[in-house]
Amino acid sequence: MAEADAAAVELDGSPEDLEGAALKIQAIARGRRDRQVLKRADTAREERELAAAKVQAMQRGREGRRRAELRKEQAKAARRIQSIQRGRTARRELLVAIKGGRPLLESDVRTGLSCVGRVPDTNRHAYIHCDVTGLGLSDVDAIRGFPALQRVDIGDNQVTDLSPFSGLPSLTELYAANNTVKQMLNFASPACSQGAPDPTGDVLIGSTLQIVDLSGNEIDDMDDMERHPFLEVVNLAYNAIPRIHGLQGLRFLQSLDLTGNRLTAITGLEGLPLETLILDDNAIDEIANLDTLQNLRVLSLRNNKIRDLSHLRETGALVALDLAGNAVAEFRQLEHLMKLEFLRALTLSGNAVAAAEWYRRRVLVRLPQLAALDDEPAAPEEKVRAVNLHGGSERAVPQLRGAGGGAYENDSDLGHRAAAHDKYFAGTPFVDFLPPFQETEAPLVLPQAEQA
């Protein structure tokens, strides 16, 4: 405004001055108009953005409320469906329990079929897997109508008799955990022989069973399993078996689980090709009769009564040993394991030695080949500290040499510390200020043959 007034004062001048003043007034007016247009445009844009943000917020809130309501309805419907299903299951289980179980129906088998494969005899395609778990079954005789099956799971039922499986000549895997079976594999698949050919002309070789799980049943005796010579994995955990026997004909047996039975001794395993043996939760007080298991790699004896480890000296292929929850009270017993060069995992938790002072280091100074102790890694640094605790290899080795030691030379940092001292403090004698740990247990008495 001040510029326009100044221009108006100059109107009394010459025509050229008047023209210049007019042009100046016009330019000032155009600038004011442009600024007003820009301001209105900015204001309109801000109003539009604010309105859009408000609309979006309202929409998000509306959508959020809609989704929240939908989730509530879905959760309510799911709970309702689950409740109905639980009620049906409970009523079915109760009805089955009252009646003592029900027989397997053909419709049950067809519902549980899966996995298409080839039938060995005919090379035709058929369903080869069947799962009928948890149906309250007491009789599985209907399984005979499906001779092509190769894998069957009847777990969590009330089955007492496995003889119907004799009608499945191609059966390789049988899972029958948590039933009421009392006789172990009391069936035999048909087999041809030179004097007794099969009338149908089929080539029958007898049982082809390779994997069997009978855990959680009521078996109180191990029958002879020569009728199933191809067994590789046998699980008999949580039965009532007092003695191991009947396995001598199993030339391919690799894994045996007898957890939670009534075993008091290890017998009946001579010469078997076992790689994994699990005998947890029994009453075994002595490790014996394992020297013929040349392939044994994993041995688990958790929660038994074992004190002496001398019989493990000949298990040279052992890789993992679990002795948790036993009665091992002397570190010297671990010296029986010093020659097991492949041993990588050892578990001793729950034994008396695990509560002793410097437990891990006193174990690792004897067994430096371990990669894990009590499911925790045994690092190289920890092994060096274990040797240092015993005064370095110069002192640790003589303590263990009588038990077959000698693998500990140059394993400690004592020599390095002495060299560093001589380098920086030449002329002064090196003194080891780390007092060595003194073993209080009497040295291990070795067999006469090994002493020689």
Side-chain angles (χ1 to χ4, degrees):
M1 187 66 184
E3 295 177 357
D5 292 342
V9 173
E10 299 177 356
L11 293 178
D12 295 335
S14 62
E16 292 81 3
D17 294 337
L18 292 175
E19 185 177 357
L23 292 174
K24 188 174 183 180
I25 292 172
Q26 291 173 359
I28 293 171
R30 282 196 300 271
R32 184 181 298 130
R33 186 169 58 251
D34 292 343
R35 287 194 295 274
Q36 290 175 349
V37 170
L38 290 174
K39 185 176 181 180
R40 285 195 296 270
D42 291 341
T43 302
R45 185 173 62 254
E46 292 176 357
E47 290 177 351
R48 287 196 301 271
E49 291 176 351
L50 183 62
K54 188 175 181 179
V55 170
Q56 291 173 357
M58 292 175 61
Q59 184 63 26
R60 284 196 298 270
R62 192 178 297 117
E63 182 66 18
R65 288 191 296 273
R66 188 185 67 80
R67 291 182 178 178
E69 291 296 330
L70 180 60
R71 284 195 296 269
K72 288 181 181 179
E73 293 178 2
Q74 290 174 341
K76 184 177 180 180
R79 288 194 297 269
R80 177 64 177 166
I81 293 172
Q82 292 171 356
S83 176
I84 294 173
Q85 185 62 30
R86 284 196 298 269
R88 289 176 179 173
T89 302
R91 287 192 296 273
R92 184 169 61 247
E93 291 177 352
L94 179 61
L95 182 62
V96 168
I98 291 174
K99 294 183 177 181
R102 67 174 181 85
L104 177 67
L105 304 178
E106 182 178 334
S107 58
D108 297 326
V109 179
R110 295 190 180 280
T111 301
L113 291 176
S114 64
C115 187
V116 175
R118 290 185 182 273
V119 181
D121 293 343
T122 63
N123 207 30
R124 295 179 178 177
H125 286 90
Y127 285 107
I128 60 175
H129 292 182
C130 182
D131 186 338
V132 288
T133 58
L135 299 180
L137 305 176
S138 60
D139 178 10
V140 292
D141 194 64
I143 205 76
R144 296 178 185 271
F146 298 83
L149 289 176
Q150 299 177 25
R151 182 186 186 277
V152 179
D153 191 343
I154 60 168
D156 301 311
N157 284 291
Q158 302 176 39
V159 177
T160 59
D161 183 17
L162 300 179
S163 60
F165 290 101
S166 61
L168 306 184
S170 303
L171 185 65
T172 59
E173 300 179 30
L174 174 59
Y175 301 91
N178 303 320
N179 279 276
T180 56
V181 176
K182 293 180 171 58
Q183 283 189 297
M184 186 176 67
L185 301 181
N186 61 332
F187 65 92
S189 300
C192 295
S193 62
Q194 186 172 2
D198 188 81
T200 64
D202 293 335
V203 181
L204 303 176
I205 63 172
S207 174
T208 58
L209 199 59
Q210 298 176 6
I211 300 175
V212 61
D213 183 357
L214 294 174
S215 58
N217 280 278
E218 300 177 3
I219 300 171
D220 57 7
D221 189 26
M222 294 180 66
D223 298 328
D224 193 341
M225 288 194 280
E226 287 187 348
R227 292 175 293 183
H228 307 280
F230 300 108
L231 279 173
E232 297 178 3
V233 179
V234 176
N235 187 348
L236 296 171
Y238 301 106
N239 282 279
I241 299 171
R243 183 171 65 93
I244 306 174
H245 65 98
L247 303 175
Q248 294 307 314
L250 305 183
R251 297 180 295 119
F252 303 98
L253 186 61
Q254 298 179 11
S255 177
L256 176 62
D257 189 346
L258 284 163
T259 298
N261 280 275
R262 299 177 182 176
L263 302 176
T264 57
I266 303 176
T267 59
L269 302 176
E270 292 79 4
L272 292 176
L274 279 172
E275 295 182 4
T276 301
L277 177 60
I278 304 174
L279 301 173
D280 300 342
D281 301 318
N282 282 285
I284 300 170
D285 57 6
E286 181 183 11
I287 300 176
N289 303 315
L290 298 181
D291 54 327
T292 62
L293 303 182
Q294 299 300 318
N295 298 326
L296 188 62
R297 296 170 56 84
V298 178
L299 175 61
S300 184
L301 288 160
R302 297 175 69 95
N303 303 322
N304 281 278
K305 303 177 181 180
I306 295 166
R307 296 176 177 271
D308 184 7
L309 307 183
S310 60
H311 290 281
L312 291 173
R313 300 177 74 90
E314 304 303 324
T315 55
L318 207 58
V319 175
L321 176 61
D322 191 342
L323 294 170
N326 278 276
V328 180
E330 299 177 358
F331 285 94
R332 295 289 186 183
Q333 287 294 324
L334 302 178
E335 295 170 12
H336 291 296
L337 311 179
M338 292 173 67
K339 289 189 176 181
L340 304 183
E341 57 181 327
F342 299 111
L343 186 62
R344 295 295 179 268
L346 175 65
T347 304
L348 291 170
S349 57
N351 286 271
V353 292
E357 182 183 17
W358 302 111
Y359 157 63
R360 288 183 64 87
R361 297 188 186 185
R362 293 172 72 180
V363 174
L364 293 176
V365 76
R366 292 170 168 83
L367 304 173
Q369 70 269 38
L370 290 180
L373 176 59
D374 292 343
D375 298 322
E376 294 183 10
E381 296 82 358
E382 188 177 15
K383 297 176 184 179
V384 171
R385 295 190 190 101
V387 178
N388 288 342
L389 176 67
H390 290 75
S393 56
E394 292 81 359
R395 293 174 180 170
V397 172
Q399 294 188 63
L400 303 175
R401 193 180 300 280
Y408 302 91
E409 298 291 349
N410 303 320
D411 280 350
S412 76
D413 65 350
L414 185 62
H416 298 289
R417 288 191 283 120
H421 176 275
D422 294 341
K423 179 179 179 180
Y424 296 104
F425 303 98
T428 60
F430 171 72
V431 179
D432 183 12
F433 290 101
L434 295 178
F437 178 81
Q438 298 296 329
E439 285 288 354
T440 58
E441 299 177 9
L444 188 67
V445 178
L446 298 177
Q448 191 66 30
E450 295 193 21
Q451 290 181 2

